Amino acid sequence: MFSIPTIRATAHAALSAQLQHKLNQLTKPVGALGELERVALRIGLMQQSTSPQIREPQLVIFAGDHGLARLGASAYPQDVTWQMVLNMLGGGAAANVLARQHGIGFAVLDCGVAHNFDAHPKLIQGKIAHGTQASSGGTAMSAAQCDEALALGARTVTALPGNCFIAGEMGIGNTAAASLMTARLLQLPIAECTGRGTGLDDAGLARKIALLELALKAHSATEAKAVLAAFGGFEIAAMTGAYLQAASQARMILVDGFICTAALLVAARLNPAVLDYCIFTHRSSEPGHLALLKALHAKPLLELGMRLGEGSGALAAYPLVQSALLLLQEMASFESAGVSGQTA
Amino acid sequence: MFSIPTIRATAHAALSAQLQHKLNQLTKPVGALGELERVALRIGLMQQSTSPQIREPQLVIFAGDHGLARLGASAYPQDVTWQMVLNMLGGGAAANVLARQHGIGFAVLDCGVAHNFDAHPKLIQGKIAHGTQASSGGTAMSAAQCDEALALGARTVTALPGNCFIAGEMGIGNTAAASLMTARLLQLPIAECTGRGTGLDDAGLARKIALLELALKAHSATEAKAVLAAFGGFEIAAMTGAYLQAASQARMILVDGFICTAALLVAARLNPAVLDYCIFTHRSSEPGHLALLKALHAKPLLELGMRLGEGSGALAAYPLVQSALLLLQEMASFESAGVSGQTA
């Protein structure tokens, strides 16, 4: 069973003032590093330190299949999920390239792919079932499976080294699941929360919206965990559990795109303090993501029109987070460098 | 004397199609890497290669002083220019931290700081004068000095290794110079092109605008080089020459913020093909920068509210450019990874 972890809220007026003072003493005009200063300050609060650091950052790709994909919710066949998992284990996916570039640890967590994998050093076997049920019929998963997935995510994070957690996801059909969760949890029309996913054309998008309308009508759930079970995916539920656990361990969380943010919204409904540990890294071109970011009052670091998943946006933004901490740590102060202050 | 270098335009339909094909074969939905795909394609065209690479990236900080600074155009005293140059030579500025983070070569070019520096391995001595004249009186520099500065920038780039050039700048008062150049070259009201620079308050901003109104009225020049001489700075003119030379050698140029983009606008008026080699890296919070970006049809990679100069925005964005090329180079293709293609 999964019990919601306790999370320490990061608000701390004295430490916040100390961090701001340290930032203001650096040889630059006050605030001239923009968002990077805010990132440094927030991570200082997460780590309760005026010298916050990243140690052994970790990417986990949460993989799972979706019943709705078999009904045409995606531009790609469901087999692409397991094929892409193998591609990731082979090092050939975008996430691999970016994780290597930045020295980020990498693993794939099978939460519920409709395929049996051989053992692999980078694969964590956590399969709950061979994909979810189509939510246009019954619930995507049972309440027990949902709890199992939440616990799987939490357990996986607990076993990770380091203090920086990045979730990525792979699951054909999971933008459909995220759209449903977003529409229900934020009480928005499904069309406002639904995009082309991996690349549907106009007709495909219209079919997807019609299918999601049906699914939405099939369930009355509004409570976060019930919505997750009704519409979500095993990889989404596992990410929800992972985010809660990461925050409870005071790890910084780099939040990727639409599907990750949908998982995070559920986490935030279960324990809002999880948001204190989140750095939003990119804004996806999926329309549902914008709605989620607005609801969470989040302004991501990047807006590059990316819509790949796999944690790719968070990975792309990672060096900016690193920059923020290095600047706080390594820049000279006006005093130490003998530079004059502001006159006007 | 400075003669405008010849620059090869990069347009090449066949190579462009080859690069696009290569991008589309990678294991991701078509276009899912957003701006990163466009960056990879453009650098491929610059290098006339389907496997473009960054070799030995170089940052040069162009430093110079400004007559207008002595009349109150900045929140900081003019001495901060040379003090910050020493800070940079000592490794304590934001630019140093970011250049170290990304393994980027570093030098300071003294184009016209009002201070005599001792020799230093990272300092290139190119001083044209001890600061410009205030453009509210005569021209900031003579036509001969302007040519000298253009040639200095070009010569400095020629001596650099590698194929990636980043210009940063340091010069108290240089947002004022950039505002004047922007207002005149784009025929905009000065108030639309003027911001708080390093941090003027409301009264300071009003004084700055009044001062710049005076300067603008003192000169009728509209031709790019004449505008540069009337309102610019030695470091700005040197950057203009540097950009033209970098493009003529097919180096990729990572364009930083407001002052760099003002220098680039002059370069583009002298030889528009320079723009083919430019990656715009960040949007500064200076209002004049937005006007310049619009005029150049540029959409920078980052918008983080930075307003520091020193090339800091370009340095922050550097790993994204690197990511774009690594993704093109290292990702598996659908065929090589055995992943199914799109069905809908």
Side-chain angles (χ1 to χ4, degrees), chain A residues 27 30 32 35 75 83 87 92 100-101 198-199 304 307 323 332 340 342-343, chain B residues 27 29-30 32 35 75 83 87 92 100-101 199 304 307 323 330 332 340 342-343:
Chain A
T27 47
V30 169
E35 294 297 326
Q83 291 167 347
N87 188 25
R100 279 198 299 269
Q101 180 187 356
T198 46
L304 293 172
R307 50 179 174 79
S323 293
S340 309
Q342 196 162 338
T343 55
Chain B
T27 46
V30 169
E35 294 298 325
Q83 291 167 347
N87 188 24
R100 279 197 299 268
Q101 181 187 355
L304 293 173
R307 49 178 174 80
S323 293
E330 297 185 8
S340 308
Q342 197 162 335
T343 54

PDB file of all heavy atoms in Angstrom, chain A residues 27 30 32 35 75 83 87 92 100-101 198-199 304 307 323 332 340 342-343, chain B residues 27 29-30 32 35 75 83 87 92 100-101 199 304 307 323 330 332 340 342-343:
ATOM      1  N   THR A  27      29.215  40.089  -8.216  1.00  0.00           N
ATOM      2  CA  THR A  27      29.589  41.176  -9.127  1.00  0.00           C
ATOM      3  C   THR A  27      28.723  41.178 -10.380  1.00  0.00           C
ATOM      4  O   THR A  27      29.133  40.766 -11.464  1.00  0.00           O
ATOM      5  CB  THR A  27      31.072  41.063  -9.535  1.00  0.00           C
ATOM      6  OG1 THR A  27      31.344  39.706  -9.921  1.00  0.00           O
ATOM      7  CG2 THR A  27      31.962  41.439  -8.387  1.00  0.00           C
ATOM      8  N   VAL A  30      21.942  43.944  -9.342  1.00  0.00           N
ATOM      9  CA  VAL A  30      20.942  43.178  -8.582  1.00  0.00           C
ATOM     10  C   VAL A  30      19.892  42.589  -9.531  1.00  0.00           C
ATOM     11  O   VAL A  30      19.308  43.304 -10.346  1.00  0.00           O
ATOM     12  CB  VAL A  30      20.261  44.081  -7.528  1.00  0.00           C
ATOM     13  CG1 VAL A  30      19.036  43.386  -6.928  1.00  0.00           C
ATOM     14  CG2 VAL A  30      21.255  44.441  -6.425  1.00  0.00           C
ATOM     15  N   ALA A  32      20.270  40.737 -12.131  1.00  0.00           N
ATOM     16  CA  ALA A  32      20.609  40.698 -13.559  1.00  0.00           C
ATOM     17  C   ALA A  32      20.692  39.279 -14.130  1.00  0.00           C
ATOM     18  O   ALA A  32      20.705  39.108 -15.346  1.00  0.00           O
ATOM     19  CB  ALA A  32      21.918  41.438 -13.821  1.00  0.00           C
ATOM     20  N   GLU A  35      15.897  34.641 -14.011  1.00  0.00           N
ATOM     21  CA  GLU A  35      15.361  33.381 -13.487  1.00  0.00           C
ATOM     22  C   GLU A  35      16.433  32.523 -12.820  1.00  0.00           C
ATOM     23  O   GLU A  35      16.128  31.731 -11.926  1.00  0.00           O
ATOM     24  CB  GLU A  35      14.710  32.568 -14.610  1.00  0.00           C
ATOM     25  CG  GLU A  35      13.467  33.197 -15.206  1.00  0.00           C
ATOM     26  CD  GLU A  35      12.341  33.344 -14.199  1.00  0.00           C
ATOM     27  OE1 GLU A  35      12.204  32.483 -13.321  1.00  0.00           O
ATOM     28  OE2 GLU A  35      11.612  34.356 -14.290  1.00  0.00           O
ATOM     29  N   ALA A  75      -0.664   8.550 -32.912  1.00  0.00           N
ATOM     30  CA  ALA A  75      -0.215   8.434 -34.304  1.00  0.00           C
ATOM     31  C   ALA A  75       0.694   7.226 -34.498  1.00  0.00           C
ATOM     32  O   ALA A  75       0.972   6.832 -35.627  1.00  0.00           O
ATOM     33  CB  ALA A  75       0.517   9.707 -34.709  1.00  0.00           C
ATOM     34  N   GLN A  83       9.528  -0.957 -28.187  1.00  0.00           N
ATOM     35  CA  GLN A  83      10.655  -0.751 -29.109  1.00  0.00           C
ATOM     36  C   GLN A  83      11.518   0.421 -28.640  1.00  0.00           C
ATOM     37  O   GLN A  83      12.752   0.367 -28.688  1.00  0.00           O
ATOM     38  CB  GLN A  83      10.129  -0.498 -30.522  1.00  0.00           C
ATOM     39  CG  GLN A  83       9.481  -1.735 -31.146  1.00  0.00           C
ATOM     40  CD  GLN A  83       8.680  -1.415 -32.419  1.00  0.00           C
ATOM     41  OE1 GLN A  83       8.398  -0.243 -32.714  1.00  0.00           O
ATOM     42  NE2 GLN A  83       8.313  -2.450 -33.164  1.00  0.00           N
ATOM     43  N   ASN A  87      15.389   0.776 -27.457  1.00  0.00           N
ATOM     44  CA  ASN A  87      16.247   1.828 -28.009  1.00  0.00           C
ATOM     45  C   ASN A  87      16.941   2.593 -26.878  1.00  0.00           C
ATOM     46  O   ASN A  87      18.142   2.906 -26.958  1.00  0.00           O
ATOM     47  CB  ASN A  87      15.389   2.775 -28.865  1.00  0.00           C
ATOM     48  CG  ASN A  87      16.203   3.798 -29.644  1.00  0.00           C
ATOM     49  OD1 ASN A  87      17.383   3.582 -29.937  1.00  0.00           O
ATOM     50  ND2 ASN A  87      15.587   4.926 -29.960  1.00  0.00           N
ATOM     51  N   GLY A  92      20.223   4.841 -27.735  1.00  0.00           N
ATOM     52  CA  GLY A  92      20.001   5.586 -28.969  1.00  0.00           C
ATOM     53  C   GLY A  92      18.893   6.624 -28.951  1.00  0.00           C
ATOM     54  O   GLY A  92      18.654   7.287 -29.953  1.00  0.00           O
ATOM     55  N   ARG A 100      23.819  11.605 -21.362  1.00  0.00           N
ATOM     56  CA  ARG A 100      25.283  11.460 -21.516  1.00  0.00           C
ATOM     57  C   ARG A 100      25.960  12.821 -21.551  1.00  0.00           C
ATOM     58  O   ARG A 100      26.999  13.027 -20.921  1.00  0.00           O
ATOM     59  CB  ARG A 100      25.605  10.720 -22.828  1.00  0.00           C
ATOM     60  CG  ARG A 100      25.479   9.222 -22.773  1.00  0.00           C
ATOM     61  CD  ARG A 100      26.226   8.547 -23.927  1.00  0.00           C
ATOM     62  NE  ARG A 100      25.731   8.918 -25.243  1.00  0.00           N
ATOM     63  CZ  ARG A 100      24.771   8.253 -25.916  1.00  0.00           C
ATOM     64  NH1 ARG A 100      24.194   7.189 -25.373  1.00  0.00           N
ATOM     65  NH2 ARG A 100      24.410   8.644 -27.112  1.00  0.00           N
ATOM     66  N   GLN A 101      25.363  13.740 -22.320  1.00  0.00           N
ATOM     67  CA  GLN A 101      25.961  15.079 -22.447  1.00  0.00           C
ATOM     68  C   GLN A 101      26.200  15.710 -21.077  1.00  0.00           C
ATOM     69  O   GLN A 101      27.227  16.361 -20.845  1.00  0.00           O
ATOM     70  CB  GLN A 101      25.039  15.979 -23.288  1.00  0.00           C
ATOM     71  CG  GLN A 101      25.576  17.405 -23.471  1.00  0.00           C
ATOM     72  CD  GLN A 101      24.581  18.330 -24.165  1.00  0.00           C
ATOM     73  OE1 GLN A 101      23.501  17.918 -24.588  1.00  0.00           O
ATOM     74  NE2 GLN A 101      24.948  19.599 -24.282  1.00  0.00           N
ATOM     75  N   THR A 198       2.194  12.688 -30.444  1.00  0.00           N
ATOM     76  CA  THR A 198       3.376  12.453 -31.259  1.00  0.00           C
ATOM     77  C   THR A 198       3.198  12.889 -32.711  1.00  0.00           C
ATOM     78  O   THR A 198       4.124  12.755 -33.500  1.00  0.00           O
ATOM     79  CB  THR A 198       3.726  10.955 -31.230  1.00  0.00           C
ATOM     80  OG1 THR A 198       2.518  10.224 -31.435  1.00  0.00           O
ATOM     81  CG2 THR A 198       4.314  10.551 -29.908  1.00  0.00           C
ATOM     82  N   GLY A 199       2.008  13.389 -33.085  1.00  0.00           N
ATOM     83  CA  GLY A 199       1.912  13.914 -34.439  1.00  0.00           C
ATOM     84  C   GLY A 199       0.653  13.552 -35.201  1.00  0.00           C
ATOM     85  O   GLY A 199       0.714  13.294 -36.410  1.00  0.00           O
ATOM     86  N   LEU A 304      10.794  25.784 -26.090  1.00  0.00           N
ATOM     87  CA  LEU A 304      11.487  25.520 -27.350  1.00  0.00           C
ATOM     88  C   LEU A 304      10.622  24.729 -28.325  1.00  0.00           C
ATOM     89  O   LEU A 304      11.130  24.190 -29.300  1.00  0.00           O
ATOM     90  CB  LEU A 304      12.792  24.756 -27.073  1.00  0.00           C
ATOM     91  CG  LEU A 304      13.866  25.539 -26.308  1.00  0.00           C
ATOM     92  CD1 LEU A 304      15.019  24.624 -25.922  1.00  0.00           C
ATOM     93  CD2 LEU A 304      14.377  26.709 -27.149  1.00  0.00           C
ATOM     94  N   ARG A 307       8.212  18.490 -27.869  1.00  0.00           N
ATOM     95  CA  ARG A 307       7.053  17.668 -27.500  1.00  0.00           C
ATOM     96  C   ARG A 307       7.414  16.199 -27.679  1.00  0.00           C
ATOM     97  O   ARG A 307       6.732  15.446 -28.351  1.00  0.00           O
ATOM     98  CB  ARG A 307       5.823  18.031 -28.348  1.00  0.00           C
ATOM     99  CG  ARG A 307       6.107  18.068 -29.828  1.00  0.00           C
ATOM    100  CD  ARG A 307       4.890  18.393 -30.669  1.00  0.00           C
ATOM    101  NE  ARG A 307       5.295  18.544 -32.044  1.00  0.00           N
ATOM    102  CZ  ARG A 307       5.542  17.562 -32.899  1.00  0.00           C
ATOM    103  NH1 ARG A 307       5.391  16.307 -32.534  1.00  0.00           N
ATOM    104  NH2 ARG A 307       5.936  17.809 -34.134  1.00  0.00           N
ATOM    105  N   SER A 323      24.090  25.975 -13.937  1.00  0.00           N
ATOM    106  CA  SER A 323      24.639  27.340 -14.035  1.00  0.00           C
ATOM    107  C   SER A 323      24.208  28.173 -12.845  1.00  0.00           C
ATOM    108  O   SER A 323      25.009  28.907 -12.258  1.00  0.00           O
ATOM    109  CB  SER A 323      24.159  28.029 -15.321  1.00  0.00           C
ATOM    110  OG  SER A 323      24.689  27.426 -16.467  1.00  0.00           O
ATOM    111  N   ALA A 332      32.694  36.138  -7.827  1.00  0.00           N
ATOM    112  CA  ALA A 332      33.283  37.022  -6.817  1.00  0.00           C
ATOM    113  C   ALA A 332      32.214  37.975  -6.299  1.00  0.00           C
ATOM    114  O   ALA A 332      31.202  38.228  -6.968  1.00  0.00           O
ATOM    115  CB  ALA A 332      34.431  37.806  -7.436  1.00  0.00           C
ATOM    116  N   SER A 340      33.288  48.715  -7.608  1.00  0.00           N
ATOM    117  CA  SER A 340      32.425  49.734  -7.000  1.00  0.00           C
ATOM    118  C   SER A 340      30.958  49.366  -7.148  1.00  0.00           C
ATOM    119  O   SER A 340      30.565  48.730  -8.129  1.00  0.00           O
ATOM    120  CB  SER A 340      32.647  51.096  -7.664  1.00  0.00           C
ATOM    121  OG  SER A 340      34.015  51.411  -7.686  1.00  0.00           O
ATOM    122  N   GLN A 342      26.644  50.453  -6.957  1.00  0.00           N
ATOM    123  CA  GLN A 342      25.736  51.316  -7.700  1.00  0.00           C
ATOM    124  C   GLN A 342      25.749  52.728  -7.108  1.00  0.00           C
ATOM    125  O   GLN A 342      25.848  52.902  -5.901  1.00  0.00           O
ATOM    126  CB  GLN A 342      24.332  50.701  -7.599  1.00  0.00           C
ATOM    127  CG  GLN A 342      23.341  51.226  -8.593  1.00  0.00           C
ATOM    128  CD  GLN A 342      22.136  50.284  -8.733  1.00  0.00           C
ATOM    129  OE1 GLN A 342      22.227  49.099  -8.425  1.00  0.00           O
ATOM    130  NE2 GLN A 342      21.031  50.820  -9.209  1.00  0.00           N
ATOM    131  N   THR A 343      25.656  53.758  -7.978  1.00  0.00           N
ATOM    132  CA  THR A 343      25.616  55.135  -7.481  1.00  0.00           C
ATOM    133  C   THR A 343      24.240  55.751  -7.630  1.00  0.00           C
ATOM    134  O   THR A 343      23.878  56.652  -6.885  1.00  0.00           O
ATOM    135  CB  THR A 343      26.599  56.034  -8.259  1.00  0.00           C
ATOM    136  OG1 THR A 343      26.305  55.945  -9.646  1.00  0.00           O
ATOM    137  CG2 THR A 343      28.031  55.617  -7.990  1.00  0.00           C
TER     138      THR A 343
ATOM    139  N   THR B  27      14.824   8.596 -33.982  1.00  0.00           N
ATOM    140  CA  THR B  27      13.728   7.958 -33.229  1.00  0.00           C
ATOM    141  C   THR B  27      13.026   8.959 -32.322  1.00  0.00           C
ATOM    142  O   THR B  27      13.220   8.994 -31.105  1.00  0.00           O
ATOM    143  CB  THR B  27      14.269   6.790 -32.372  1.00  0.00           C
ATOM    144  OG1 THR B  27      15.448   7.228 -31.688  1.00  0.00           O
ATOM    145  CG2 THR B  27      14.593   5.602 -33.240  1.00  0.00           C
ATOM    146  N   PRO B  29       9.132  11.639 -32.881  1.00  0.00           N
ATOM    147  CA  PRO B  29       8.167  12.161 -33.849  1.00  0.00           C
ATOM    148  C   PRO B  29       8.786  13.325 -34.639  1.00  0.00           C
ATOM    149  O   PRO B  29       9.639  14.048 -34.115  1.00  0.00           O
ATOM    150  CB  PRO B  29       7.021  12.657 -32.957  1.00  0.00           C
ATOM    151  CG  PRO B  29       7.154  11.868 -31.679  1.00  0.00           C
ATOM    152  CD  PRO B  29       8.623  11.669 -31.501  1.00  0.00           C
ATOM    153  N   VAL B  30       8.363  13.483 -35.866  1.00  0.00           N
ATOM    154  CA  VAL B  30       8.896  14.547 -36.726  1.00  0.00           C
ATOM    155  C   VAL B  30       8.720  15.909 -36.038  1.00  0.00           C
ATOM    156  O   VAL B  30       7.633  16.262 -35.597  1.00  0.00           O
ATOM    157  CB  VAL B  30       8.170  14.548 -38.093  1.00  0.00           C
ATOM    158  CG1 VAL B  30       8.506  15.804 -38.898  1.00  0.00           C
ATOM    159  CG2 VAL B  30       8.557  13.296 -38.884  1.00  0.00           C
ATOM    160  N   ALA B  32       9.704  16.893 -33.147  1.00  0.00           N
ATOM    161  CA  ALA B  32       9.429  16.891 -31.703  1.00  0.00           C
ATOM    162  C   ALA B  32      10.521  17.549 -30.877  1.00  0.00           C
ATOM    163  O   ALA B  32      10.308  17.841 -29.700  1.00  0.00           O
ATOM    164  CB  ALA B  32       9.198  15.465 -31.209  1.00  0.00           C
ATOM    165  N   GLU B  35      12.843  23.789 -31.536  1.00  0.00           N
ATOM    166  CA  GLU B  35      13.899  24.716 -31.950  1.00  0.00           C
ATOM    167  C   GLU B  35      15.253  24.025 -32.085  1.00  0.00           C
ATOM    168  O   GLU B  35      16.095  24.459 -32.872  1.00  0.00           O
ATOM    169  CB  GLU B  35      14.027  25.853 -30.941  1.00  0.00           C
ATOM    170  CG  GLU B  35      12.828  26.776 -30.864  1.00  0.00           C
ATOM    171  CD  GLU B  35      12.579  27.500 -32.174  1.00  0.00           C
ATOM    172  OE1 GLU B  35      13.553  27.834 -32.873  1.00  0.00           O
ATOM    173  OE2 GLU B  35      11.397  27.705 -32.506  1.00  0.00           O
ATOM    174  N   ALA B  75      23.754  53.488 -13.908  1.00  0.00           N
ATOM    175  CA  ALA B  75      23.601  53.413 -12.452  1.00  0.00           C
ATOM    176  C   ALA B  75      24.952  53.192 -11.769  1.00  0.00           C
ATOM    177  O   ALA B  75      25.063  53.325 -10.552  1.00  0.00           O
ATOM    178  CB  ALA B  75      22.645  52.281 -12.090  1.00  0.00           C
ATOM    179  N   GLN B  83      37.360  47.840 -13.414  1.00  0.00           N
ATOM    180  CA  GLN B  83      37.319  46.948 -12.251  1.00  0.00           C
ATOM    181  C   GLN B  83      36.750  45.581 -12.642  1.00  0.00           C
ATOM    182  O   GLN B  83      37.246  44.533 -12.206  1.00  0.00           O
ATOM    183  CB  GLN B  83      36.475  47.575 -11.142  1.00  0.00           C
ATOM    184  CG  GLN B  83      37.127  48.806 -10.500  1.00  0.00           C
ATOM    185  CD  GLN B  83      36.162  49.603  -9.632  1.00  0.00           C
ATOM    186  OE1 GLN B  83      34.948  49.390  -9.672  1.00  0.00           O
ATOM    187  NE2 GLN B  83      36.699  50.539  -8.858  1.00  0.00           N
ATOM    188  N   ASN B  87      38.247  41.798 -12.646  1.00  0.00           N
ATOM    189  CA  ASN B  87      37.474  40.688 -12.076  1.00  0.00           C
ATOM    190  C   ASN B  87      37.406  39.517 -13.068  1.00  0.00           C
ATOM    191  O   ASN B  87      37.563  38.347 -12.696  1.00  0.00           O
ATOM    192  CB  ASN B  87      36.067  41.191 -11.718  1.00  0.00           C
ATOM    193  CG  ASN B  87      35.241  40.176 -10.936  1.00  0.00           C
ATOM    194  OD1 ASN B  87      35.780  39.294 -10.264  1.00  0.00           O
ATOM    195  ND2 ASN B  87      33.919  40.292 -11.024  1.00  0.00           N
ATOM    196  N   GLY B  92      36.424  35.820 -11.693  1.00  0.00           N
ATOM    197  CA  GLY B  92      35.314  35.919 -10.751  1.00  0.00           C
ATOM    198  C   GLY B  92      33.995  36.430 -11.308  1.00  0.00           C
ATOM    199  O   GLY B  92      33.017  36.540 -10.574  1.00  0.00           O
ATOM    200  N   ARG B 100      33.782  28.443 -17.843  1.00  0.00           N
ATOM    201  CA  ARG B 100      34.411  27.261 -17.234  1.00  0.00           C
ATOM    202  C   ARG B 100      33.459  26.074 -17.251  1.00  0.00           C
ATOM    203  O   ARG B 100      33.850  24.948 -17.564  1.00  0.00           O
ATOM    204  CB  ARG B 100      34.791  27.559 -15.771  1.00  0.00           C
ATOM    205  CG  ARG B 100      36.076  28.318 -15.577  1.00  0.00           C
ATOM    206  CD  ARG B 100      36.589  28.197 -14.130  1.00  0.00           C
ATOM    207  NE  ARG B 100      35.682  28.720 -13.135  1.00  0.00           N
ATOM    208  CZ  ARG B 100      35.690  29.975 -12.664  1.00  0.00           C
ATOM    209  NH1 ARG B 100      36.564  30.861 -13.133  1.00  0.00           N
ATOM    210  NH2 ARG B 100      34.838  30.358 -11.741  1.00  0.00           N
ATOM    211  N   GLN B 101      32.194  26.330 -16.899  1.00  0.00           N
ATOM    212  CA  GLN B 101      31.207  25.242 -16.859  1.00  0.00           C
ATOM    213  C   GLN B 101      31.169  24.487 -18.189  1.00  0.00           C
ATOM    214  O   GLN B 101      31.049  23.258 -18.217  1.00  0.00           O
ATOM    215  CB  GLN B 101      29.814  25.806 -16.529  1.00  0.00           C
ATOM    216  CG  GLN B 101      28.713  24.743 -16.451  1.00  0.00           C
ATOM    217  CD  GLN B 101      27.320  25.341 -16.288  1.00  0.00           C
ATOM    218  OE1 GLN B 101      27.138  26.547 -16.138  1.00  0.00           O
ATOM    219  NE2 GLN B 101      26.307  24.494 -16.325  1.00  0.00           N
ATOM    220  N   GLY B 199      20.457  49.022 -13.855  1.00  0.00           N
ATOM    221  CA  GLY B 199      19.540  49.131 -12.720  1.00  0.00           C
ATOM    222  C   GLY B 199      19.153  50.545 -12.312  1.00  0.00           C
ATOM    223  O   GLY B 199      19.070  50.841 -11.127  1.00  0.00           O
ATOM    224  N   LEU B 304      15.005  34.489 -20.102  1.00  0.00           N
ATOM    225  CA  LEU B 304      15.125  34.246 -18.658  1.00  0.00           C
ATOM    226  C   LEU B 304      15.201  35.537 -17.864  1.00  0.00           C
ATOM    227  O   LEU B 304      15.570  35.521 -16.693  1.00  0.00           O
ATOM    228  CB  LEU B 304      16.372  33.389 -18.383  1.00  0.00           C
ATOM    229  CG  LEU B 304      16.322  31.958 -18.907  1.00  0.00           C
ATOM    230  CD1 LEU B 304      17.675  31.271 -18.737  1.00  0.00           C
ATOM    231  CD2 LEU B 304      15.228  31.154 -18.204  1.00  0.00           C
ATOM    232  N   ARG B 307      19.896  40.330 -17.813  1.00  0.00           N
ATOM    233  CA  ARG B 307      20.299  41.644 -18.349  1.00  0.00           C
ATOM    234  C   ARG B 307      21.666  41.993 -17.793  1.00  0.00           C
ATOM    235  O   ARG B 307      21.887  43.049 -17.232  1.00  0.00           O
ATOM    236  CB  ARG B 307      19.270  42.721 -18.008  1.00  0.00           C
ATOM    237  CG  ARG B 307      18.868  42.719 -16.549  1.00  0.00           C
ATOM    238  CD  ARG B 307      17.888  43.826 -16.187  1.00  0.00           C
ATOM    239  NE  ARG B 307      17.470  43.652 -14.811  1.00  0.00           N
ATOM    240  CZ  ARG B 307      18.174  44.021 -13.734  1.00  0.00           C
ATOM    241  NH1 ARG B 307      19.334  44.625 -13.872  1.00  0.00           N
ATOM    242  NH2 ARG B 307      17.725  43.807 -12.515  1.00  0.00           N
ATOM    243  N   SER B 323      23.526  20.421 -27.469  1.00  0.00           N
ATOM    244  CA  SER B 323      22.515  19.352 -27.476  1.00  0.00           C
ATOM    245  C   SER B 323      21.979  19.136 -28.881  1.00  0.00           C
ATOM    246  O   SER B 323      21.818  17.997 -29.323  1.00  0.00           O
ATOM    247  CB  SER B 323      21.335  19.716 -26.559  1.00  0.00           C
ATOM    248  OG  SER B 323      21.717  19.748 -25.208  1.00  0.00           O
ATOM    249  N   GLU B 330      24.013  11.579 -32.622  1.00  0.00           N
ATOM    250  CA  GLU B 330      24.105  10.352 -31.824  1.00  0.00           C
ATOM    251  C   GLU B 330      22.803   9.571 -31.703  1.00  0.00           C
ATOM    252  O   GLU B 330      22.821   8.425 -31.263  1.00  0.00           O
ATOM    253  CB  GLU B 330      24.610  10.686 -30.410  1.00  0.00           C
ATOM    254  CG  GLU B 330      26.006  11.265 -30.402  1.00  0.00           C
ATOM    255  CD  GLU B 330      26.538  11.475 -28.985  1.00  0.00           C
ATOM    256  OE1 GLU B 330      25.877  11.022 -28.029  1.00  0.00           O
ATOM    257  OE2 GLU B 330      27.602  12.100 -28.852  1.00  0.00           O
ATOM    258  N   ALA B 332      19.708   7.227 -32.526  1.00  0.00           N
ATOM    259  CA  ALA B 332      19.467   6.130 -33.461  1.00  0.00           C
ATOM    260  C   ALA B 332      18.380   6.533 -34.461  1.00  0.00           C
ATOM    261  O   ALA B 332      17.574   7.422 -34.191  1.00  0.00           O
ATOM    262  CB  ALA B 332      19.025   4.895 -32.683  1.00  0.00           C
ATOM    263  N   SER B 340       8.986   1.088 -34.990  1.00  0.00           N
ATOM    264  CA  SER B 340       7.953   1.283 -36.014  1.00  0.00           C
ATOM    265  C   SER B 340       7.687   2.768 -36.250  1.00  0.00           C
ATOM    266  O   SER B 340       7.813   3.584 -35.342  1.00  0.00           O
ATOM    267  CB  SER B 340       6.637   0.637 -35.569  1.00  0.00           C
ATOM    268  OG  SER B 340       6.860  -0.704 -35.195  1.00  0.00           O
ATOM    269  N   GLN B 342       5.173   6.028 -37.958  1.00  0.00           N
ATOM    270  CA  GLN B 342       3.846   6.591 -37.707  1.00  0.00           C
ATOM    271  C   GLN B 342       2.792   5.843 -38.529  1.00  0.00           C
ATOM    272  O   GLN B 342       3.037   5.446 -39.654  1.00  0.00           O
ATOM    273  CB  GLN B 342       3.888   8.075 -38.106  1.00  0.00           C
ATOM    274  CG  GLN B 342       2.768   8.891 -37.565  1.00  0.00           C
ATOM    275  CD  GLN B 342       3.109  10.375 -37.619  1.00  0.00           C
ATOM    276  OE1 GLN B 342       4.270  10.758 -37.609  1.00  0.00           O
ATOM    277  NE2 GLN B 342       2.083  11.216 -37.679  1.00  0.00           N
ATOM    278  N   THR B 343       1.592   5.653 -37.943  1.00  0.00           N
ATOM    279  CA  THR B 343       0.534   4.976 -38.694  1.00  0.00           C
ATOM    280  C   THR B 343      -0.575   5.935 -39.091  1.00  0.00           C
ATOM    281  O   THR B 343      -1.280   5.702 -40.066  1.00  0.00           O
ATOM    282  CB  THR B 343      -0.126   3.858 -37.851  1.00  0.00           C
ATOM    283  OG1 THR B 343      -0.558   4.432 -36.617  1.00  0.00           O
ATOM    284  CG2 THR B 343       0.841   2.738 -37.578  1.00  0.00           C
TER     285      THR B 343
END
